Amino acid sequence: MRCPKAIRYKDKSGYDIIQLAVINRSENIYQLRYILGERRNVYRMIEDSSKNNMLHLVGRLAPWHKLKLRTGAALQLQRELQWREVVKKLVSPAYHTKENIFNETPDIVFTKEHKNLVKEGEKWMKTVAESCSITAALITTIVFAAAITVPGGSHQEKGFPLFRGQIAFKIFGLSDAISLFASSTSLLMFQSILTGRFSEQDFLVSLPRRLIIGLCTLMISTTAMMVAFSATLFLVFCHGKRWMLAPICVLALLPIASFATFQIPLMVDLFRSTYGYIGYIFKKRSSKNSRRLYPYDIRLFFGK
């Protein structure tokens, strides 16, 4: 810390820079707690005029300009829960259940402030799960029917498929099985979301993880289904003409590309928010890697 006095600046409400960083969800400013030296332990017990500790402050709803950076209400609530988990590591355990002057614990403040966000997150999660479960159920039905009615039919006396010796038939069998297993898994994940509970803590890891698994397996099942269908077209209609593979592959890529265009961004957001945020944004940084802090920077943060 190059300028120790800079950390003592406070705004009109009496909040210092770390408290404001928590209230306004500013990750970069929050990192300053790692270079505070002897003042680091102060933030484990600090309270404002209403006896709100750091957990009370993080229990308040984040500013709208911070919430709208996340995709959907569920991820917005997840980010709020992640902030609370991180601040818990800074605050002394004795303050986790300490009441303010309004007889409110940090958990009560968080629940009251995020009540509407929990409802919106549940609605968003169910909407996504319902729409995707319909697609998963349809794929499961199609690939199951394709598995029991193999292309080209079977030998009347021996019962084995007529095309069993061809590579395209093996590709059909493998991709059809992958699609069936993946779509079934996807359907079960979406159903577990629709029938599960929607408490605050479930939005931290449990529900997003189920949605990630459901979307990934749905993507795999869709791709495998198109591969199986393409192999069937080649077996039944192309009669060994390999030049027909080009138009078949182009047509098969259209639905896959359409699905990927709309779903991959959501999958990436879910994965980063669930598994990458706490480990990257809130990781401990040494003072050597921290940017030098000047009083002018503090004034900018306080709006002075």
Side-chain angles (χ1 to χ4, degrees):
M1 187 77 171
R2 298 292 181 179
C3 302
K5 294 183 180 180
I7 202 65
R8 299 176 185 174
Y9 282 103
K10 292 186 177 182
D11 68 348
K12 296 179 180 179
S13 301
Y15 294 122
D16 62 21
I17 189 170
I18 301 299
Q19 291 173 309
L20 285 174
V22 171
I23 295 173
N24 294 284
R25 308 297 193 265
S26 179
E27 298 90 349
N28 293 330
I29 300 297
Y30 185 76
Q31 294 294 334
L32 292 175
R33 76 193 192 281
Y34 289 129
I35 57 174
L36 291 178
E38 68 277 3
R39 289 180 57 84
R40 186 184 306 173
N41 292 328
V42 175
Y43 289 98
R44 296 171 60 86
M45 301 176 291
I46 193 170
E47 294 179 339
D48 63 9
S49 58
S50 300
K51 293 186 178 181
N52 292 310
N53 59 49
M54 296 287 281
L55 280 176
H56 286 98
L57 299 181
V58 81
R60 298 176 183 177
L61 188 64
W64 172 243
H65 70 275
K66 286 290 185 178
L67 287 177
K68 69 180 182 180
L69 297 177
R70 308 274 72 82
T71 303
L75 294 187
Q76 293 172 2
L77 180 59
Q78 183 190 43
R79 185 55 49 88
E80 293 289 273
L81 289 166
Q82 289 171 340
W83 263 99
R84 186 174 69 169
E85 292 298 315
V86 170
V87 174
K88 274 185 177 180
K89 299 177 181 179
L90 179 67
V91 178
S92 176
Y95 284 75
H96 288 184
T97 57
K98 190 173 182 180
E99 297 180 348
N100 57 17
I101 62 174
F102 305 105
N103 298 323
E104 295 176 335
T105 63
D107 289 340
I108 293 177
V109 173
F110 188 92
T111 300
K112 183 175 67 174
E113 290 281 330
H114 296 81
K115 180 171 60 177
N116 292 332
L117 193 59
V118 171
K119 294 180 180 178
E120 292 297 322
E122 178 180 353
K123 181 180 178 181
W124 181 86
M125 192 73 72
K126 284 185 175 181
T127 300
V128 175
E130 285 177 356
S131 59
C132 292
S133 62
I134 295 174
T135 305
L138 181 61
I139 294 176
T140 302
T141 304
I142 293 174
V143 296
F144 180 79
I148 60 178
T149 56
V150 295
S154 303
H155 196 280
Q156 293 183 355
E157 296 180 357
K158 299 182 179 180
F160 55 78
L162 296 177
F163 293 130
R164 67 172 185 171
Q166 298 190 29
I167 296 178
F169 184 79
K170 296 178 180 179
I171 294 175
F172 161 79
L174 179 61
S175 58
D176 191 80
I178 292 174
S179 181
L180 178 61
F181 297 144
S183 61
S184 299
T185 303
S186 178
L187 183 60
L188 291 174
M189 287 294 104
F190 293 132
Q191 288 300 315
S192 69
I193 293 175
L194 294 173
T195 58
R197 65 175 189 173
F198 287 87
S199 63
E200 292 174 359
Q201 201 64 24
D202 290 333
F203 284 91
L204 182 60
V205 176
S206 178
L207 290 173
R209 180 170 55 194
R210 296 180 196 177
L211 190 57
I212 290 173
I213 295 174
L215 290 174
C216 289
T217 50
L218 183 60
M219 178 70 181
I220 294 172
S221 66
T222 303
T223 304
M225 180 186 67
M226 297 311 302
V227 172
F229 181 71
S230 300
T232 302
L233 286 179
F234 182 79
L235 283 170
V236 177
F237 299 105
C238 295
H239 306 292
K241 300 176 182 178
R242 295 188 177 182
W243 65 268
M244 292 292 293
L245 286 173
I248 292 176
C249 291
V250 171
L251 293 175
L253 285 174
L254 290 178
I256 298 174
S258 300
F259 183 89
T261 300
F262 295 105
Q263 296 299 334
I264 285 182
L266 176 59
M267 294 163 59
V268 172
D269 288 342
L270 281 166
F271 188 85
R272 286 180 176 176
S273 182
T274 304
Y275 299 107
Y277 189 73
I278 292 182
Y280 176 74
I281 299 296
F282 293 118
K283 68 181 179 180
K284 185 174 181 179
R285 299 175 184 175
S286 63
S287 58
K288 294 181 180 180
N289 296 327
S290 299
R291 187 177 66 87
R292 181 181 297 180
L293 183 69
Y294 296 99
Y296 180 71
D297 299 327
I298 304 295
R299 293 191 182 98
L300 287 178
F301 185 73
F302 284 96
K304 295 181 179 181

